[in-house]
Amino acid sequence: MDSLSRRNFVGAMALGAGIGLTQAVEAAPSAAAPASAAALKPVRARIGHEVQGVLTEQLAAYLARYGVQGVGCAADIADSSRIYATVAELSQARELAERHGLTMDIAECALPTMNVDEQAHPAIDLGESPQRDRDIEAFQIHIRNVAAAGIPCIKYALTILGAVRTGLTPGRGDAMNPTWRWQDAPNLPLTRAGVVTADSFWERITYFLDRAVPVANEYKVRLALHPHDPGVPPQGYRGVQRVLGTVEGMKRFISIQESPYHGFNFCQGTVSEMLQNPGSEIFEVIRYFGSRNKIFNVHFRNIRGHRDSFVETFPDEGDVDFVKALKVYREVGYSGLLMPDHVASTPADPSGTLENFAFDFGYFRGLLQAEAHIV
């Protein structure tokens, strides 16, 4: 299956509707088994979904219907002034997921991928002590409680600008795809953070990691950071130099604390946005971080374009070959979730983005099933 392209994969899946997936894969002329089957690791990745907020019974049933196996979500925190979730609140979220056959692999936290002007608790990103020290102490409590609730990972971001886009581009059918063009970036004012140089940003990141990672080590909870989306030119944007918007910045990040519990929510779309030729370059980036066990979760997103100019797409129509990408995740032994991310909006879809997420779930499920038959 090394040369099985995305188009051949879709064809094999369509054929599989009539003769069975195994036969379809076997029938594909380019799907010859490798000479050394023993060298292949088993397919361990699973289908996941990142819930925007709290998981509900209705949403959990929807996810189970489409073959999702694990989720990341927030706990329903009773006191809005409290940053951390209690063990009971986290356990309630996990138990709801489990009632629908889902695992809760990731707990969200009060460090979201959000513009600092919109954050409820911005002191850590702003570097404002003594409030950031109080917020870090609350994050440490969150780590302990996540461990006690039996949840293995926390997703977080250290960002000022959040996820930035310049508009929407018409896509397939009536889909509207999020787009970033550096040349079209509006001249917006500084955020409440003001000017944030690279040195200042690294100081804030290091300050947080030096206090959070030792607690994660003690309680064996993985901390998965989402990189900056998107990277921008070195001079920065809105006064902010986005130090986690390059592969080199990501490498520096993991070197700050040597720990098996310090790594990434590896947003493949965001990392692709860092590259001049993501269709050929992304695979070695996956290998670099995957071989070091630094990929704790994957946002399995595709783009068309390159650094400073791209359009987000459905997984089967972007520049990155997802069949090949899955092979690399398999090669490095990745065993976490593959989550759709930033799906297109569709004005005619009464459920918002749920139809487009369902497409992604089905595509990922077929991809995993096809890859599992290559042994």
Side-chain angles (χ1 to χ4, degrees), residues 73-118:
C73 64
D76 189 4
I77 299 177
D79 181 356
S80 60
S81 67
R82 174 162 41 83
I83 292 180
Y84 63 88
T86 65
V87 176
E89 291 164 343
L90 289 159
S91 297
Q92 183 179 34
R94 177 182 54 75
E95 290 163 3
L96 191 160
E98 290 173 351
R99 284 198 297 273
H100 293 268
L102 307 171
T103 57
M104 184 174 170
D105 294 62
I106 298 170
E108 300 286 341
C109 70
L111 289 171
T113 304
M114 181 184 292
N115 187 291
V116 72
D117 289 342
E118 302 169 1

Side-chain angles (χ1 to χ4, degrees), residues 15-350:
L15 185 60
I19 66 173
L21 179 60
T22 304
Q23 293 168 288
V25 173
E26 290 173 350
S30 59
S36 177
L40 279 178
K41 297 179 180 179
V43 178
R44 300 171 63 196
R46 299 175 296 126
I47 303 169
H49 181 66
E50 181 177 323
V51 177
Q52 299 302 308
V54 177
L55 182 67
T56 64
E57 296 281 357
Q58 182 179 7
L59 180 57
Y62 158 84
L63 296 173
R65 181 196 317 154
Y66 289 106
V68 173
Q69 296 159 291
V71 297
C73 64
D76 189 4
I77 299 177
D79 181 356
S80 60
S81 67
R82 174 162 41 83
I83 292 180
Y84 63 88
T86 65
V87 176
E89 291 164 343
L90 289 159
S91 297
Q92 183 179 34
R94 177 182 54 75
E95 290 163 3
L96 191 160
E98 290 173 351
R99 284 198 297 273
H100 293 268
L102 307 171
T103 57
M104 184 174 170
D105 294 62
I106 298 170
E108 300 286 341
C109 70
L111 289 171
T113 304
M114 181 184 292
N115 187 291
V116 72
D117 289 342
E118 302 169 1
Q119 293 180 23
H121 305 282
I124 292 173
D125 284 332
L126 294 174
E128 291 182 344
S129 292
Q131 185 58 48
R132 74 168 164 179
D133 297 301
R134 290 191 285 267
D135 289 355
I136 290 173
E137 288 176 5
F139 188 86
Q140 293 169 333
I141 294 173
H142 193 62
I143 294 173
R144 298 184 187 104
N145 291 349
V146 165
I151 302 165
C153 183
I154 296 172
K155 174 183 169 287
Y156 72 107
L158 296 171
T159 183
I160 304 295
L161 300 180
V164 184
R165 297 294 184 266
T166 52
L168 296 171
T169 298
R172 193 162 62 194
D174 59 352
M176 299 298 293
N177 297 330
T179 301
W180 169 253
R181 310 285 190 203
W182 170 250
Q183 64 184 21
D184 298 331
N187 185 20
L188 297 175
L190 301 179
T191 68
R192 66 194 291 183
V195 174
V196 182
T197 65
D199 287 344
S200 178
F201 218 142
W202 281 120
E203 182 279 329
R204 298 176 195 185
I205 290 168
T206 303
Y207 191 93
F208 173 80
L209 294 178
D210 285 349
R211 291 155 179 79
V213 174
V215 180
N217 290 339
E218 180 181 356
Y219 288 89
K220 296 179 171 53
V221 172
R222 294 191 294 274
L223 302 181
L225 175 118
H226 192 297
H228 291 163
D229 180 12
V232 298
Q235 66 266 31
Y237 180 54
R238 299 185 68 185
V240 179
Q241 292 181 297
R242 308 199 86 182
V243 298
L244 296 175
T246 67
V247 174
E248 289 306 311
M250 292 175 65
K251 290 178 180 179
R252 176 172 173 176
F253 175 80
I254 61 171
S255 73
I256 293 174
Q257 285 277 337
E258 296 296 335
S259 165
Y261 300 100
H262 169 48
F264 289 108
N265 180 103
F266 189 86
C267 180
Q268 183 179 295
T270 296
V271 179
S272 295
E273 298 159 13
M274 301 177 186
L275 308 173
Q276 289 300 329
N277 188 355
S280 62
E281 297 175 46
I282 188 64
F283 309 110
E284 285 306 313
V285 183
I286 296 170
R287 283 192 182 93
Y288 182 89
F289 292 107
S291 64
R292 290 162 173 78
N293 297 316
K294 294 300 181 182
I295 298 179
F296 298 160
N297 185 56
V298 173
H299 284 174
F300 211 24
R301 175 163 62 85
N302 214 340
I303 67 165
R304 186 165 52 246
H306 50 77
R307 185 175 182 88
D308 298 330
S309 181
F310 63 85
V311 176
E312 299 181 22
T313 70
F314 285 103
D316 62 317
E317 61 172 349
D319 289 342
V320 175
D321 184 337
F322 269 36
V323 174
K324 186 174 180 179
L326 179 58
K327 289 181 180 300
V328 181
Y329 288 117
R330 180 180 187 177
E331 171 192 317
V332 299
Y334 177 66
S335 60
L337 300 177
L338 300 174
M339 294 181 170
D341 184 43
H342 295 192
V343 297
S345 59
T346 309
D349 180 1

Side-chain angles (χ1 to χ4, degrees), residues 344-363:
S345 59
T346 309
D349 180 1
S351 63
T353 57
L354 293 185
E355 282 188 6
N356 293 332
F357 272 117
F359 172 88
D360 286 4
F361 297 146
Y363 185 84

